[in-house]
Amino acid sequence: MPKVLVATEKPFAAEAAAKIKTELEAAKYDYVFLENYTEVSQLHEALADADAVIIRSDIIDEAALAAAKNLKIVVRAGAGYDNVDLKAASARNVVVMNTPGQNSNAVAELAIGMMIYMARGKFNGKSGTELSGKKLVLYGYGYVARYLANIARGIGMEIYAYDPYIASEIMTKDGVKPLSKVEDIFKTGDYVSLHIPATAETKKSINWDLLSLMKDNSALINTARKEVIDEDSLLKALEEKKKFRYISDVEPDCSAKLMELFADRVYYTPKKMGAQTAEANTNAGIAAAKQIIGFFDRGDKTYKVN
Ligand code: 3PG
């Protein structure tokens, strides 16, 4: 039977791991868990006899693939697959999949939580502001953005979105106002929330040309990837716009400087934790296990991304 490696440097919640095991046992698959590993060599060793691997943000690059002689499929339990070298995987006939939508509500809830936390001055006891009545602009209108729109609507925010790959009718149906230009995102938002993947085109794309357009008293929320931000421009925005705030679900490379200069206007999580809920882990983990079983048992390649 196929052997599945579950390699998560950042482990799934215990109940999610137990459910993944149950799923694989029911299909009579072998499995092994590698959690909390500290050296990449541990991952490579564990990959040596795996037919399939379930990962989170774990790196599957050429070296990992070279170490994985039996590997046929990688499933990223989550949305973004910028941690997998798709070209190298394709060259070795390894199928790569993600589990779209499965952890998105958790990310959306965290975005809202962080927005409220910052609107209330990090709960410092002083008078803050409310989200109700403010303009939220979503850059990208995928699963996380849609969950976020839904929650934000309940709070009373006015919601806009820009996504050149999504028909504007879909946004309109959701009560979201479509924007037609990237610039409008940054001009319009009291809160601008990023929902774009990290690709060659998007890396460092949130630059001064865009950040300079933001309102003085606005906030940028990044639950996407740190790579999409041009950090020099971010520092400049915080310097020039005295009420501008940056909220991030990942530690920026320039975190030391941000904390030294702008501690009251910046918040970032200690470790990427948007998808760190028992529910998201369970949804994404079970989906990943099922996709592997479907692939081996029925040749199902739904959600293949390479
Ligand atoms: C994703 O792309 O699904 C999220 O960024 C979650 O990543 P994680 O599984 O490493 O928490």
Side-chain angles (χ1 to χ4, degrees):
M1 276 318 219
K3 180 169 178 185
V4 180
L5 170 67
V6 180
T8 52
E9 181 273 320
K10 188 171 59 185
F12 289 124
E15 66 176 80
K19 286 181 180 155
I20 295 167
K21 286 177 189 166
T22 306
E23 200 69 47
L24 295 171
E25 276 161 17
K28 299 198 166 21
Y29 279 35
D30 292 331
Y31 62 82
V32 60
F33 274 66
L34 173 72
E35 297 178 320
N36 284 314
Y37 59 90
T38 50
E39 304 296 329
V40 81
S41 58
Q42 293 171 269
L43 170 64
H44 294 181
E45 269 163 40
L47 279 165
D49 62 349
D51 297 294
V53 64
I54 296 175
I55 53 163
R56 296 186 64 179
S57 291
D58 308 81
I59 307 292
I60 301 295
D61 54 9
E62 172 55 31
L65 291 161
K69 298 283 179 237
N70 296 340
L71 197 66
K72 283 119 196 138
I73 178 167
V74 176
V75 181
R76 194 284 191 240
Y81 43 85
D82 46 311
N83 48 323
V84 182
D85 185 336
L86 296 187
K87 259 195 184 158
S90 300
R92 290 171 183 273
N93 281 324
V94 173
V95 167
V96 182
M97 295 182 185
N98 65 349
T99 65
Q102 299 293 342
N103 59 16
S104 310
N105 182 63
V107 181
E109 285 192 15
L110 182 75
I112 288 284
M114 294 193 300
M115 284 158 67
I116 293 176
Y117 180 61
M118 290 302 276
R120 294 300 185 97
K122 298 189 178 180
F123 300 154
N124 62 1
K126 296 183 186 156
S127 188
T129 56
E130 299 181 21
L131 301 187
S132 183
K134 306 295 186 303
K135 292 185 166 79
L136 169 66
V137 185
L138 307 163
Y139 186 179
Y141 199 62
Y143 285 100
V144 175
R146 291 174 205 203
Y147 278 108
L148 183 49
N150 200 35
I151 304 169
R153 187 179 313 108
I155 290 178
M157 297 188 87
E158 200 181 320
I159 307 153
Y160 298 76
Y162 170 82
D163 191 328
Y165 303 103
I166 303 285
S168 56
E169 293 75 40
I170 293 177
M171 299 175 190
T172 314
K173 218 170 123 242
D174 292 346
V176 171
K177 295 171 187 147
L179 296 174
S180 53
K181 289 206 305 278
V182 178
E183 288 74 16
D184 292 342
I185 300 171
F186 295 86
K187 281 184 198 161
T188 307
D190 298 307
Y191 289 86
V192 171
S193 189
L194 304 175
H195 302 287
I196 52 175
T199 64
E201 293 77 44
T202 64
K203 281 181 187 167
K204 287 187 188 275
S205 65
I206 310 302
N207 54 22
W208 182 244
D209 287 348
L210 299 177
L211 292 177
S212 61
L213 304 173
M214 290 190 74
K215 301 176 192 176
D216 186 62
N217 188 12
S218 65
L220 180 66
I221 302 108
N222 183 7
T223 55
R225 291 289 183 270
K226 71 175 174 187
E227 288 82 1
V228 303
I229 305 281
D230 176 56
E231 293 194 354
D232 288 338
S233 302
L234 174 67
L235 285 160
K236 189 170 173 184
L238 284 155
E239 178 58 44
E240 297 210 353
K241 297 172 193 282
K242 300 297 179 199
K243 290 184 178 170
F244 174 72
R245 286 149 292 148
Y246 183 59
I247 305 168
S248 175
D249 180 27
V250 64
E251 181 170 351
D253 290 334
C254 65
S255 58
K257 211 167 193 175
L258 288 174
M259 282 303 117
E260 183 195 326
L261 299 172
F262 312 109
D264 55 336
R265 290 191 282 132
V266 172
Y267 175 75
Y268 59 85
T269 51
K271 192 164 187 148
K272 187 165 59 137
M273 54 179 287
Q276 277 294 64
T277 66
E279 294 88 342
N281 291 170
T282 300
N283 293 342
I286 289 182
K290 281 191 195 297
Q291 286 172 217
I292 287 173
I293 295 164
F295 171 75
F296 284 113
D297 291 4
R298 301 185 299 279
D300 187 347
K301 292 186 185 165
T302 311
Y303 304 122
K304 183 174 181 283
V305 294
N306 66 330

